[in-house]
């Protein structure tokens, strides 16, 4: 981040609009803003912090120019606006923050909440500005709000890093500026996420899919065995039928029973044909019974038609005259019988009334269709009943006929089994056994079919259960993969965090040591500076003893400044150093050393100083590096400050 | 700022590409929310990137 300029409107004592440009020249990277105590240095410093981070201001009453408020009429709205323009990673940004208030009759001011209080836009040198959707997030990417306090600071308050009791602040600063906090939080949040995923995975993993798949295999093997058994039975049937046919052929060769056998064969053929007829007739009866049952409810249909008729009579549903027809008649002024009529005569009024009571044509269609279907069912009822009765009679007759055929065939069988010729008798008995086997096999085939159907039903159910379990299993797979990613990412972040933290601690320690040695006038007395593994910032004197408790206020300030600039340097953050009253407590030796070094320690330096802070050698040291210089002039007569460019 | 992120990114460049993607996305999300004491929504953002990367790596083994 490199500051380009800041613009204030009605901010504290800066009544009206004021602008201040920051020097961006690499060789003249210092902007000095002079001002006596109370001239407005701290207000300007606050304006920059408030604009970029909203820091320290809750309501417009805290920052509104009193002059602006005085001049406003009751109920008039007033605005406080600060805009900062800066460049980061080659992109120019406009950041502006605004508060709007309204003056009340009692001269108090109340806030008017508005959206877009903070607006950040990317502004190319040529082209159109584009508003950033997530301004706070982007500002945190550029410079997090909790990091900025190490770059924009009050010089008189920065000595806290050097106080023995402030080790936590040192650690906090290192973590913020070096992104270690980001890594630490990433590590913790990833770890928590991994815990969540582990719990979730445990809850859904039950081995259900494995169990179902095993059952599926068993059921399919069972089905295969049943099919094989059925095929075997059918083979047995075919073989028995073949044997029976051979017996029949042999029996026909015996003159004693030739006639009987022929009769037997005729009955067998007749039985075959009639049994087929019986199957077809039974199917026909089943279809009639299932498709025409509605027609058997004649009373119900008649009641439904009566309800429709009653509703039509009351005008709740349309008559048979359709809406479009009435409209046509009205437009042509012609009755359906051909007689003309005029507006507002009886015929006209009657048609208008019919049109008003008519309902939408789609409802008309539905009602007419329902009516037609009900009437059709009512008409078909007796016909269906008659057909069904006739088919049942046919079936009974066919059953009687078959029974007589079976009896006659049995009679022949008995005659042949009782034949005096033993060969004939034996053959007839053998044929009976074959037929008996065939019946038995057929029974088993029927049982097989039932078992196969039951087995298939179970398999179809299993398929559904397996599909559902697979979904759960896929969820488990996904959770497992997510868990592994979360765990691995946690390990990676932890490792990076450990190494990075240690490397950076050592780098900061080294750089702080170098800068402190350069800035402190007692550099020979202070032999070393350490940043311990628990982030204690320590100065070691020539006796090898910790010297921090003995440091003067100025020396603490120098140590803190060394630490801050070392952090900024190690972090390689492209960030300006903005210091309010930086040299107030420093003696001339420190002041001179710092002014000689500071412009080299930051890419951009903004100093808000009193004349007493920056004079003599210190001013001379800094002069070659000063790009822009301003003076803040406070006018006691108007209580307002103006910015004067020097 | 970007230098610091680059330095961190270099430290995990040898990790598995999927893990690298997750780490980069999580660090970026944390960076955006660092100003909040409690990073509201971070769990959802971590889940989002884990879900995206996991689904991509399991592509072909999942039915949908």
């Amino acid at each position: 981040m490199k500051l380009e300029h800041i613009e204030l409107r009605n901010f504290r004592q800066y009544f009206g609009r004021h602008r201040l440009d920051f020097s961006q020249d690499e060789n003249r990277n210092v902007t000095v803003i002079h001002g006596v105590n109370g001239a407005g240095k701290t207000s300007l410093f606050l304006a920059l912090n408030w604009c970029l981070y909203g820091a320290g201001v809750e309501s417009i009453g805290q920052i509104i120019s009193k002059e602006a408020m005085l001049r406003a009429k009751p109920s008039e709205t007033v605005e406080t606006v600060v805009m900062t323009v800066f460049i980061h990673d080659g992109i120019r940004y406009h950041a502006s923050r605004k508060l709007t208030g309204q003056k009340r009759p009692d001269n108090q001011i109340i806030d008017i909440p508005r959206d877009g209080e903070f607006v950040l836009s990317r502004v190319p040198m040529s082209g159109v500005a584009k508003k950033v959707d997530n301004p706070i997030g982007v500002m945190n990417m550029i410079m997090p709000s909790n990091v900025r306090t190490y770059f924009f600071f009050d010089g008189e308050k920065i000595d806290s890093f050097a106080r023995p009791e402030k080790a936590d602040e040192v650690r906090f600063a290192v973590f913020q500026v070096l992104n270690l906090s980001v890594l630490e939080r990433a590590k913790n949040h990833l770890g928590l996420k991994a815990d969540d995923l582990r719990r979730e995975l445990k809850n859904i993993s039950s081995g259900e899919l494995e169990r179902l798949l095993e059952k599926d295999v068993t059921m399919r093997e069972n089905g295969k065995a049943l099919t094989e058994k059925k095929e075997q039975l059918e083979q047995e049937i075919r073989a028995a039928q073949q044997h029976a046919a051979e017996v029949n052929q042999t029996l026909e060769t015996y003159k004693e029973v030739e006639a009987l056998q022929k009769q037997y064969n005729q009955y067998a053929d007749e039985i075959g044909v009639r049994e087929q007829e019986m199957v077809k007739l039974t199917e026909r009866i089943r279809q009639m019974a299932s498709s025409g049952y509605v027609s058997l409810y004649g009373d119900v249909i008649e009641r439904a038609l009566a309800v429709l008729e009653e509703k039509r009579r009351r005008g709740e549903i349309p008559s048979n005259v359709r809406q479009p027809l009435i409209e046509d008649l009205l437009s042509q002024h012609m009755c359906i019988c051909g007689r003309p009529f005029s507006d507002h005569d009886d015929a006209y009024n009657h048609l208008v009334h019919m049109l008003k009571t008519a309902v939408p044509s789609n409802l008309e269609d539905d009602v007419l269709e329902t009516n037609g279907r009900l009437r059709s069912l009512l008409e078909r009822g007796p016909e269906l009943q008659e057909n069904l009765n006739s088919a049942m009679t046919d079936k009974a007759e066919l059953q009687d006929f078959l029974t007589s055929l079976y009896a006659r065939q049995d009679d022949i069988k008995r005659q042949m089994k009782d034949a005096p010729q033993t060969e004939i008798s034996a053959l007839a008995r053998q044929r009976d056994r074959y037929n008996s086997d065939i019946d038995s096999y057929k029974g088993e085939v029927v049982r097989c079919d039932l078992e196969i159907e039951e087995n298939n039903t179970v398999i179809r159910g299993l398929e559904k259960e397996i599909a559902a379990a697979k979904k759960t299993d896929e969820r488990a797979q996904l959770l497992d993969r997510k868990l592994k990613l979360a765990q691995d990412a946690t390990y990676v972040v932890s490792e990076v965090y450990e190494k990075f933290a240690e490397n950076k601690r050592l780098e900061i320690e080294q750089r702080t040591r170098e800068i402190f040695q350069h800035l402190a006038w007692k550099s020979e007395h202070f032999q070393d500076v350490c940043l311990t593994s628990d982030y204690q910032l320590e100065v070691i004197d020539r006796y090898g003893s910790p010297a921090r408790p003995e440091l003067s206020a100025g020396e603490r300030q120098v140590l803190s400044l060394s630490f801050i600039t070392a952090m900024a340097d190690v972090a390689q953050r492209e960030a300006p150093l903005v210091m309010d009253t930086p040299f107030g407590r420093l003696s001339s030796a420190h002041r001179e050393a710092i002014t000689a070094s500071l412009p080299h320690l930051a890419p951009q330096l903004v100093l808000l100083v009193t004349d007493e802070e920056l004079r003599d050698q210190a001013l001379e040291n800094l002069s070659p590096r000063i790009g822009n210089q301003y003076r803040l002039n406070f006018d006691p007569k108007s209580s307002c400050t103006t910015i004067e460019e020097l | 700022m970007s230098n610091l992120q680059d330095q961190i990114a270099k430290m995990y460049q040898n990790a598995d590409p999927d893990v690298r993607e997750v780490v980069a996305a999580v660090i970026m999300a944390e960076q955006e929310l660092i100003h909040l004491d409690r990073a509201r929504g971070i769990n959802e953002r971590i889940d989002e990137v884990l879900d995206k990367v996991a689904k991509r790596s399991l592509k072909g083994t999942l039915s949908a």
Side-chain angles (χ1 to χ4, degrees):
Chain A
M1 174 196 268
K2 204 169 234 187
L3 298 169
E4 188 186 289
H5 74 261
I6 186 169
E7 203 172 294
L8 299 81
R9 199 164 80 223
N10 295 335
F11 189 92
R12 286 195 165 176
Q13 66 260 59
Y14 295 92
F15 169 64
R17 190 188 293 266
H18 302 268
R19 174 176 166 142
L20 193 148
D21 291 293
F22 299 103
S23 178
Q24 299 172 70
D25 189 326
E26 271 183 32
N27 297 317
R28 287 180 172 272
N29 63 340
V30 182
T31 301
V32 179
I33 300 156
H34 301 269
V36 296
N37 291 337
K41 297 191 296 298
T42 303
S43 290
L44 188 60
F45 182 71
L46 175 67
L48 181 67
N49 279 285
W50 178 67
C51 174
L52 297 177
Y53 298 99
V57 177
E58 298 296 327
S59 67
I60 191 168
Q62 294 173 267
I63 51 167
I64 182 77
S65 156
K66 288 180 181 165
E67 187 64 22
M69 211 171 89
L70 181 74
R71 294 190 189 200
K73 292 170 187 157
S75 305
E76 197 179 330
T77 55
V78 280
E79 288 180 345
T80 291
V81 187
V82 178
M83 183 177 80
T84 307
V85 178
F86 61 89
I87 294 162
H88 182 75
D89 278 349
I91 300 169
R92 195 157 172 265
Y93 290 88
H94 276 202
S96 72
R97 195 177 290 271
K98 178 167 80 172
L99 277 181
T100 308
Q102 189 175 38
K103 187 174 177 178
R104 293 195 315 202
D106 62 359
N107 286 336
Q108 294 296 308
I109 191 148
I110 52 164
D111 285 89
I112 301 176
R114 289 194 180 164
D115 289 338
E117 182 196 301
F118 178 58
V119 178
L120 186 67
S121 313
R122 291 189 179 92
V123 189
M125 290 301 179
S126 58
V128 185
K130 196 174 173 192
K131 194 175 158 188
V132 171
D133 289 335
N134 174 19
I136 295 173
V138 172
M139 266 317 293
N140 277 296
M141 296 293 285
I142 294 168
M143 190 195 287
S145 61
N146 37 14
V147 167
R148 53 110 191 163
T149 50
Y150 306 110
F151 293 88
F152 304 171
F153 56 85
D154 180 342
E156 290 187 349
K157 292 182 186 168
I158 61 162
D159 68 340
S160 61
F161 293 125
R163 290 180 183 274
E165 70 277 13
K166 298 288 184 177
D168 282 351
E169 279 195 21
V170 174
R171 184 180 186 280
F172 186 74
V174 173
F175 271 58
Q176 296 298 329
V177 176
L178 295 178
N179 269 16
L180 289 172
S181 293
V182 169
L183 290 175
E184 193 177 38
R185 284 166 74 148
K187 184 180 72 164
N188 292 340
H189 289 139
L190 276 166
L192 289 172
K193 185 70 205 172
D195 290 344
D196 284 349
L197 290 166
R198 211 171 285 118
R199 271 193 294 275
E200 210 178 329
L201 186 61
K202 192 181 161 207
N203 287 341
I204 68 162
S205 303
S206 62
E208 179 69 3
L209 180 62
E210 201 178 339
R211 190 187 66 75
L212 288 168
L213 287 172
E214 276 174 21
K215 192 175 174 189
D216 186 59
V217 169
T218 309
M219 294 311 287
R220 284 177 196 280
E221 282 173 0
N222 193 33
K224 216 182 279 177
L226 284 167
T227 307
E228 282 171 10
K229 186 182 171 186
K230 184 186 165 187
E231 282 169 4
Q232 207 173 344
L233 285 165
E234 284 169 344
Q235 268 185 13
E236 297 285 354
I237 290 170
R238 281 192 295 276
Q241 283 172 334
Q242 180 64 34
H243 292 315
E246 284 166 9
V247 170
N248 284 339
Q249 281 173 6
T250 311
L251 283 170
E252 271 185 43
T253 60
Y254 290 92
K255 283 191 178 169
E256 296 85 343
V257 288
E258 187 187 352
L260 275 176
Q261 181 57 39
K262 279 186 180 164
Q263 190 67 50
Y264 176 91
N265 290 344
Q266 277 175 8
Y267 287 148
D269 291 344
E270 183 77 21
I271 286 169
V273 171
R274 296 298 173 187
E275 280 179 343
Q276 284 299 314
E277 253 179 58
M278 180 61 95
V279 170
K280 284 180 188 167
L281 190 56
T282 307
E283 175 61 17
R284 204 175 124 223
I285 290 168
R286 193 190 64 75
Q287 281 181 357
M288 276 194 286
S290 60
S291 65
Y293 67 94
V294 176
S295 63
L296 303 177
Y297 296 105
D299 290 349
V300 176
I301 294 170
E302 277 178 6
R303 274 211 306 279
L305 283 168
V307 169
L308 282 174
E309 186 54 38
E310 176 60 19
K311 284 189 175 290
R312 182 183 290 119
R313 199 180 54 74
R314 289 206 303 262
E316 291 172 20
I317 55 172
S319 64
N320 288 326
V321 183
R322 293 168 60 85
Q323 194 178 8
L325 175 64
I326 302 171
E327 286 168 351
D328 286 348
L329 295 174
L330 280 170
S331 70
Q332 290 162 14
H333 286 78
M334 183 74 77
C335 177
I336 198 162
C337 61
R339 184 169 60 85
F341 61 81
S342 55
D343 286 351
H344 308 299
D345 66 7
D346 287 349
Y348 178 89
N349 290 336
H350 182 67
L351 283 172
V352 168
H353 176 72
M354 283 178 78
L355 193 61
K356 279 181 185 167
T357 56
V359 290
S361 57
N362 54 350
L363 178 59
E364 275 187 37
D365 290 342
D366 291 344
V367 170
L368 290 173
E369 193 180 328
T370 307
N371 201 321
R373 278 174 186 269
L374 288 173
R375 285 187 187 287
S376 158
L377 283 173
L378 200 59
E379 284 160 12
R380 280 174 57 207
E383 184 192 334
L384 276 167
Q385 185 67 59
E386 197 178 314
N387 289 344
L388 194 59
N389 289 342
S390 164
M392 292 297 285
T393 307
D394 290 348
K395 189 181 174 190
E397 284 173 3
L398 188 56
Q399 188 60 55
D400 289 346
F401 185 53
L402 269 168
T403 307
S404 74
L405 284 173
Y406 294 142
R408 276 179 265 175
Q409 199 185 34
D410 283 348
D411 186 48
I412 293 171
K413 280 195 241 173
R414 195 170 48 253
Q415 287 182 50
M416 291 172 91
K417 277 193 287 187
D418 294 343
Q421 297 85 353
T422 50
E423 284 181 8
I424 291 171
S425 168
L427 280 168
R429 286 172 196 281
Q430 196 176 14
R431 184 179 59 191
D432 267 8
R433 280 198 297 277
Y434 286 138
N435 284 334
S436 171
D437 286 347
I438 289 167
D439 283 345
S440 170
Y441 293 148
K442 280 184 176 172
E444 281 191 57
V445 167
V446 170
R447 272 197 299 280
C448 267
D449 280 337
L450 282 172
E451 284 181 39
I452 288 170
E453 185 50 41
E454 278 173 18
N455 201 65
N456 286 342
T457 307
V458 174
I459 288 173
R460 282 194 292 275
L462 273 172
E463 281 170 354
K464 283 181 189 167
E465 285 184 70
I466 287 168
K470 270 187 176 166
K471 280 275 173 211
T472 309
D473 195 55
E474 283 176 6
R475 171 103 186 102
Q477 270 187 58
L478 182 65
L479 280 174
D480 190 48
R481 178 70 187 140
K482 283 169 74 174
L483 173 59
K484 188 162 185 334
L485 279 169
Q487 282 172 341
D488 290 352
T490 311
Y491 297 144
V492 167
V493 173
S494 301
E495 206 179 301
V496 168
Y497 171 78
E498 299 293 339
K499 280 190 196 165
F500 193 72
E502 185 57 11
N503 290 347
K504 292 298 165 188
R505 183 184 68 79
L506 294 172
E507 282 182 42
I508 291 171
E509 183 183 64
Q510 176 60 26
R511 195 74 184 109
T512 308
R513 183 182 296 136
E514 287 167 8
I515 296 169
F516 185 71
Q517 292 287 348
H518 201 67
L519 299 183
W521 70 273
K522 292 196 300 191
S523 57
E524 287 180 12
H525 174 69
F526 299 122
Q527 291 285 301
D528 201 6
V529 175
C530 303
L531 183 61
T532 61
S533 56
D534 56 348
Y535 296 92
Q536 295 276 351
L537 190 59
E538 192 52 270
V539 179
I540 308 296
D541 65 16
R542 66 163 69 221
Y543 306 106
S545 307
R548 197 167 44 157
E550 302 154 19
L551 294 178
S552 69
E555 284 166 342
R556 282 202 302 270
Q557 197 172 333
V558 169
L559 180 61
S560 293
L561 194 58
S562 304
F563 172 67
I564 288 173
T565 48
M567 273 198 309
D569 191 32
V570 170
Q572 296 183 359
R573 282 186 186 272
E574 187 200 29
L577 272 183
V578 181
M579 302 164 73
D580 184 17
T581 330
F583 313 126
R585 287 190 193 163
L586 300 179
S587 60
S588 57
H590 275 145
R591 215 177 285 173
E592 285 161 19
I594 290 171
T595 48
S597 303
L598 210 50
H600 305 283
L601 296 173
Q604 191 180 32
L605 190 61
V606 178
L607 299 173
L608 295 133
V609 293
T610 59
D611 286 343
E612 287 69 29
E613 273 182 273
L614 195 62
R615 57 191 166 85
D616 306 330
Q617 188 58 46
L619 185 57
E620 266 183 49
N621 288 345
L622 214 51
S623 288
R625 304 284 293 192
I626 296 174
N628 291 355
Q629 223 171 155
Y630 295 89
R631 182 175 300 284
L632 306 179
N633 295 315
F634 182 80
D635 181 358
K637 288 178 188 165
S638 65
S639 297
C640 293
T641 293
T642 53
I643 300 174
E644 178 193 0
E645 188 174 358
L646 301 177
Chain B
M1 184 67 200
S2 57
N3 287 333
L4 205 60
Q5 282 187 335
D6 289 347
Q7 286 174 41
I8 292 170
K10 272 182 195 162
M11 295 185 76
Y12 60 82
Q13 67 181 359
N14 293 328
D16 172 85
D18 285 351
V19 176
R20 211 159 57 210
E21 187 176 338
V22 171
V23 172
V26 173
I27 287 177
M28 180 164 281
E30 294 286 3
Q31 183 73 60
E32 280 181 32
L33 302 171
I34 193 70
H35 63 292
L36 302 172
D37 286 341
R38 294 178 61 128
R40 205 169 42 242
I42 190 68
N43 192 41
E44 288 74 14
R45 288 183 68 170
I46 293 175
D47 193 65
E48 202 176 299
V49 67
L50 287 172
D51 209 59
K52 185 182 89 178
V53 176
K55 278 180 179 160
R56 195 184 56 218
S57 67
L58 290 172
K59 203 175 173 187
T61 61
L62 297 183
S63 61

